[in-house]
Amino acid sequence: MTTPMVKAEGVHKSFGAAHILKGIDLEVAPREVFCLIGPSGSGKSTFLRCINHLEQINAGRLSVDGQLVGYRQKGDKLYELKDSEVALQRRDIGMVFQRFNLFPHMTALENVMEAPIQVKGEAKAVARARAEKLLDRVGLADKAKNYPTQLSGGQQQRVAIARALAMEPKLMLFDEPTSALDPELVGDVLDVMRGLAEDGMTMIVVTHEMGFAREVGDALVFMDDGVVVESGHPRDVLTNPQHDRTKSFLSKVL
Ligand code: ADP
Ligand code: MG
């Protein structure tokens, strides 16, 4: 059996008295495009943030590529990882947010070069060569010298994807990457994501783009109120939902 890229077992997360994730169980296989849908406030972003150690879970087990997030297990005891060890885990995971958060004072090329230089101590020439390739891959070779304000939202988001890829992650997390974009700019970003999927990248995609989920997704999970309500192949879940909550949600977004 291959090691799952992500495995969640009974994952709970609370903020103070607010119980947000109420026992999430799921598995993402390597090379899988795993789509996560659900109403606003159901805990989708919180779950992604736990995978990337931006939040710590309160109970359960969460692992990435066979390693517990934030912990090392010895026998039946868990030990918290040091900050430097957490940083090592996190650099294998790329994350793209709804808002692109590019560095405003850097060009597109510099944005993509930055992390490998700062985090991995990579030589500038190496980082530059990779960044040029990545900008080409997201269709922005001719925008390398542009600053974020000189790019459309869709172009900025494609730079953000290239920037995440520059760290050569084994897992990419997308949190509603097209939700802040004007409709005519959504397609180019989805095309880049489709290309990544074809190249075998493991991806968890929180999205309201049901067309993307149906065409590109290998698995689809519907989450509501901190639990997985329903999961399966996207075609099955989208065309033949089993639960009333799924049906009601889909009737609003489809
Ligand atoms: P989704 O991405 O599905 O819309 P979120 O994971 O963003 O949902 O949020 C789920 C719930 O958790 C919301 O009620 C939100 O207000 C709450 N929440 C998220 N982050 C925090 C935080 N840092 N502190 C307190 N509450 C939070
Ligand atoms: Mg969210």
Side-chain angles (χ1 to χ4, degrees), residues 24-155:
I24 300 286
D25 293 293
L26 56 80
E27 262 188 49
V28 180
R31 306 174 71 84
E32 196 166 50
V33 177
F34 188 98
C35 297
L36 189 53
I37 64 171
S40 177
S42 54
K44 305 179 301 294
S45 296
T46 301
F47 181 64
L48 289 191
R49 292 170 59 83
C50 289
I51 294 172
N52 201 14
H53 211 280
L54 293 167
E55 306 287 355
Q56 254 184 307
I57 66 174
N58 302 116
R61 290 167 69 89
L62 183 60
S63 58
V64 173
D65 201 16
Q67 277 193 308
L68 286 175
V69 176
Y71 295 91
R72 178 184 300 109
Q73 183 162 17
K74 273 197 196 144
D76 52 6
K77 282 211 178 112
L78 293 183
Y79 298 89
E80 266 189 54
L81 295 182
K82 292 184 285 191
D83 287 353
S84 59
E85 294 170 312
V86 169
L88 276 181
Q89 282 189 335
R90 291 193 59 208
R91 74 187 213 184
D92 284 340
I93 303 173
M95 187 149 178
V96 175
F97 302 88
Q98 186 171 341
R99 293 266 158 212
F100 340 115
N101 309 317
L102 296 177
F103 304 119
H105 58 291
M106 291 184 191
T107 64
L109 187 73
E110 288 164 350
N111 264 281
V112 181
M113 290 170 62
E114 181 69 5
I117 294 173
Q118 294 303 328
V119 180
K120 289 187 181 166
E122 194 169 80
K124 237 180 161 175
V126 177
R128 176 183 300 270
R130 187 194 304 99
E132 282 167 353
K133 265 195 211 136
L134 285 170
L135 283 179
D136 188 41
R137 179 168 175 188
V138 301
L140 294 173
D142 57 334
K143 304 286 185 204
K145 293 201 169 100
N146 286 44
Y147 286 88
T149 53
Q150 300 167 324
L151 298 169
S152 73
Q155 291 169 338

Side-chain angles (χ1 to χ4, degrees), residues 98 157 175-182 186 189-190 193 207 209:
Q98 186 171 341
Q157 191 61 302
D175 195 355
E176 301 198 31
T178 60
S179 296
L181 300 177
D182 292 332
V186 167
V189 173
L190 293 180
M193 293 168 62
T207 188
E209 295 290 335

